[in-house]
Amino acid sequence: MTDSARLPLVNLPYRSAPMLRATQRAVLLLLSLTSLPVFGAEGEGVAPAAAKLIDFGGGWAITNSMATGWAVSLLLVAFVMWLVGKPSVMPSKGQALVEKLIEALRDLFEPIVGKKAFPAAFPILVTLFIFILFHNWMGLLPGVGTMGWGRGEHWWSLQHIDTPWIRPHNADFNGTIALALISFGAWAIIVLKYVGPRLILFDLFGNKADKKETPAWLYPILSIVFLLVGFIEVFSIAIRPFTLSVRLFGNIFGGENLLHGTGFFFVFYFMELLVGLIQALVFTLLTSVYIGLLANHGDDHDHEHAADEKSGHVPAAPH
């Protein structure tokens, strides 16, 4: 066997009779679609870097994870549009299914985000959840990572894939970084709009102790403590894109390697179904928590004011 020949998995040169060539091609296609290890599915694992399908030079290229992300996103949009159809007062089965999903996500996110910022935060949270969920499950489809350009002289000796044609978007660190930056940018816009820089600065560096109930000598010390804690909080906010992206990438990339290393054993296959759902929930729940940590201040203030009016006690205006 030589490694000099670079051949597509489903288009190898044969020197047999026409009937044998047709049989061999059918076997190749069947094996690649069922992800059998003859094409490197077992023991090979997934490369950390996405393979370049088209290289424009100068660092610009279209990778297999990018192409997969675009294709799946277009199919997902088309599927939802077909499922919903033309919205009507009496919803169709597809429209009712989508509405049930939206209602379940609304009930999940609204208490976390708060009613004030919820209208702005909900669309991005739903989009992130659906996008991440389906791209997490992309690696479970037959043929993902097992079809592409490989090395070998004969169809029966092809053991290694150099350039897989399909790679899950979230198994590429660049893809998860992009998702984390979008999440971070949405967080910044929403909290600045609905909370404001003044309350954000107070929440980070302000003294939260009640001055009336705190001894005079202790209050300045607490101010210094809250100031130091604020700098730690700023650091934790700054690394949120990194932690979000690493968590998602690590789980999906690790799952891909597990599936390829075990020959897509069915136990791990169904485990990855659960992992994909959990990671989509974790990513969007953390994004909603980050928003709610600041946005809920406004809701808390409104609730306290309403309770005071109901009890007949109107607090004095702050100086």
Side-chain angles (χ1 to χ4, degrees):
M1 182 185 71
T2 64
D3 291 342
S4 58
R6 183 173 172 81
L7 307 170
L9 285 183
V10 294
N11 189 21
L12 300 179
Y14 305 129
R15 301 175 182 176
S16 308
M19 182 62 69
L20 179 59
R21 288 202 301 267
T23 304
Q24 290 171 342
R25 289 176 184 269
V27 171
L28 273 175
L29 182 59
L30 178 62
L31 291 178
S32 62
L33 290 178
T34 53
S35 306
L36 291 182
V38 67
F39 295 129
E42 183 176 359
E44 293 292 343
V46 180
K52 296 179 180 180
L53 298 180
I54 303 176
D55 192 352
F56 299 104
W60 295 90
I62 296 178
T63 64
N64 50 3
S65 62
M66 293 168 60
T68 303
W70 295 336
V72 172
S73 299
L74 290 174
L75 290 174
L76 185 58
V77 171
F79 174 70
V80 172
M81 293 178 65
W82 171 81
L83 194 64
V84 174
K86 185 178 180 180
S88 59
V89 178
M90 295 296 293
S92 61
K93 292 182 179 179
Q95 183 180 340
L97 179 62
V98 174
E99 289 178 356
K100 287 293 183 181
L101 174 63
I102 298 299
E103 288 177 4
L105 293 175
R106 182 190 63 191
D107 295 338
L108 175 65
F109 293 131
E110 187 174 16
I112 302 173
V113 175
K115 292 183 178 180
K116 188 176 182 180
F118 179 75
F122 187 58
I124 185 67
L125 292 174
V126 172
T127 303
L128 285 174
F129 174 77
I130 296 177
F131 182 92
I132 294 172
L133 177 64
F134 279 89
H135 282 81
N136 287 352
W137 286 346
M138 260 301 300
L140 305 178
L141 296 178
V144 175
T146 58
M147 293 191 301
W149 296 97
R151 294 196 300 268
E153 184 177 3
H154 304 290
W155 73 274
W156 60 84
S157 62
L158 187 60
Q159 295 291 333
H160 182 74
I161 296 176
D162 290 328
T163 307
W165 292 334
I166 308 173
R167 180 191 178 108
H169 177 272
N170 295 340
D172 182 5
F173 195 28
N174 294 307
T176 59
I177 289 175
L179 289 171
L181 290 176
I182 292 172
S183 170
F184 186 79
W187 168 84
I189 293 172
I190 291 171
V191 298
L192 284 174
K193 179 178 180 180
Y194 290 94
V195 180
R198 182 178 178 182
L199 185 55
I200 293 174
L201 290 174
F202 175 78
D203 185 82
L204 293 175
F205 303 106
N207 191 336
K208 286 83 175 176
D210 191 342
K211 196 170 185 178
K212 295 180 180 180
E213 299 180 0
T214 306
W217 63 271
L218 183 59
Y219 194 81
I221 298 176
L222 290 177
S223 297
I224 297 174
V225 172
F226 279 114
L227 181 64
L228 295 176
V229 171
F231 285 109
I232 298 175
E233 182 67 19
V234 169
F235 176 75
S236 70
I237 291 173
I239 65 173
R240 281 175 185 174
F242 178 74
T243 57
L244 282 174
S245 59
V246 168
R247 182 185 295 105
L248 181 59
F249 167 73
N251 282 278
I252 304 307
F253 178 73
E256 285 291 294
N257 277 281
L258 176 65
L259 290 176
H260 284 255
T262 58
F264 288 76
F265 188 56
F266 72 95
V267 173
F268 300 112
Y269 188 90
F270 288 106
M271 184 184 74
E272 287 305 310
L273 277 173
L274 182 60
V275 170
L277 174 61
I278 291 174
Q279 289 306 312
L281 277 174
V282 167
F283 192 100
T284 49
L285 281 174
L286 284 175
T287 303
S288 63
V289 167
Y290 295 152
I291 296 172
L293 285 174
L294 291 172
N296 268 324
H297 283 296
D299 290 348
D300 294 339
H301 176 74
D302 293 339
H303 294 158
E304 291 175 2
H305 185 70
D308 290 334
E309 287 184 344
K310 187 176 181 179
S311 63
H313 172 67
V314 179
H319 297 289

